Amino acid sequence: MTSSSYPTPPLVSLISGGIAGGVEGFLTYPFEFAKTRIQLRSSSPRSPLPRNPYSIVLTIYRTEGLRALYKGCGALVFGSVGKDAVRFLSFDTVKNAFRDKETGTLTPARNMLAGMTAGVVASVCAVTPTERIKTALIDDARSAKRYKSTVHCIRLIVQEDGFKGLYRGLAGTTLKQASATSFRMGSYNIIKDFEEKRGVEQSTGVNFLNGAVAGTVTTLLSQPFDTVKTRSQAAEVTTTVQAIQSVLKEDGVRGFWRGTVMRLSRTVFSGGILFTTAEAVSKVITPLLAR
């Protein structure tokens, strides 16, 4: 990503977004694993759901080992590379089209709309299949243990449910991605525009802090979509409507925010890591591609 007053070359967006997505996905995966486990569980008086993300990560590590915390990680990292490559490319492409021709700037509303568009494109092109596989692997690991590997998981899903099985939860995932990308990319760029207009230097620390703030905003506002998406992509076949009904039946409206603390623990760091890495990669490759 370059200064928000100038268009970002498409190849720069693609490469910086892909690398940043892979790095962010791998480093924060244990929290994603714990969050998904909690969203798939049913709460009961005898077995209340833990709220401390660090506690559940430590518990899984002690009882199931480090490998368990990275179950499904390959699918997520692979998907994150594709997702964020597409997301950054789509966002910057739409953002460049929406810019004011004279000043090169965007209004906050156009920033958010560009993010929403990027989220829809990313969901269809990369996110839904990889999230489906990741969620199925995590769900399977706590019960049936049918899947021997990521490839085996994909093979069984396609055998049992056809190619459309990889797109189960498309509606929920697209809603989540549209809202999350709108909030994350939009709020990050709104903050960055605000700072640049006031002469704030965009250092690594500032990039990380801006990304963390964007991650916090994204989590709090898009959590219901994430919960429905997770439920609809479990190992057992569940439609988006059934997922919504099951959440309401078990926990009421507040159930849609289950896993918020765990997801927040991840997205605060992930937002900082994602944008800091993307900005750093962009600064390195932009001069190289300009030669």
Side-chain angles (χ1 to χ4, degrees), residues 128-129 132-133 157-158 160-169:
T128 300
R132 165 71 171 111
I133 296 163
I157 289 173
V158 173
E160 297 172 355
D161 205 18
F163 184 74
K164 71 178 188 300
L166 295 174
Y167 275 85
R168 192 202 303 168

Side-chain angles (χ1 to χ4, degrees), residues 15-32:
I15 296 174
S16 61
I19 293 175
V23 171
E24 177 269 327
F26 180 79
L27 293 179
T28 64
Y29 189 77
F31 289 110
E32 175 67 17

Side-chain angles (χ1 to χ4, degrees), residues 21-45:
V23 171
E24 177 269 327
F26 180 79
L27 293 179
T28 64
Y29 189 77
F31 289 110
E32 175 67 17
F33 180 92
K35 182 268 301 179
T36 302
R37 273 276 184 99
I38 287 301
Q39 289 178 326
L40 291 168
R41 277 185 56 187
S42 298
S43 183
S44 67

Side-chain angles (χ1 to χ4, degrees), residues 18 21-33 35-36 70-84 126-127 129-135 137-138 150 176 226 229 266 270:
V23 171
E24 177 269 327
F26 180 79
L27 293 179
T28 64
Y29 189 77
F31 289 110
E32 175 67 17
F33 180 92
K35 182 268 301 179
T36 302
Y70 276 88
K71 185 74 172 180
C73 179
L76 182 128
V77 170
F78 181 77
S80 293
V81 171
K83 171 189 71 177
D84 285 303
V127 181
T130 53
E131 283 286 317
R132 165 71 171 111
I133 296 163
K134 177 213 73 176
T135 304
L137 283 167
I138 293 175
T150 300
K176 182 230 174 179
D226 187 69
K229 181 271 301 177
R266 175 178 181 252
S270 70

Side-chain angles (χ1 to χ4, degrees), residues 31 38 44 115 142 147 158 171-172 179 183 191 265 270:
F31 289 110
I38 287 301
S44 67
R142 72 191 179 103
Y147 304 139
V158 173
S179 60
F183 295 133
I191 295 169
S265 296
S270 70

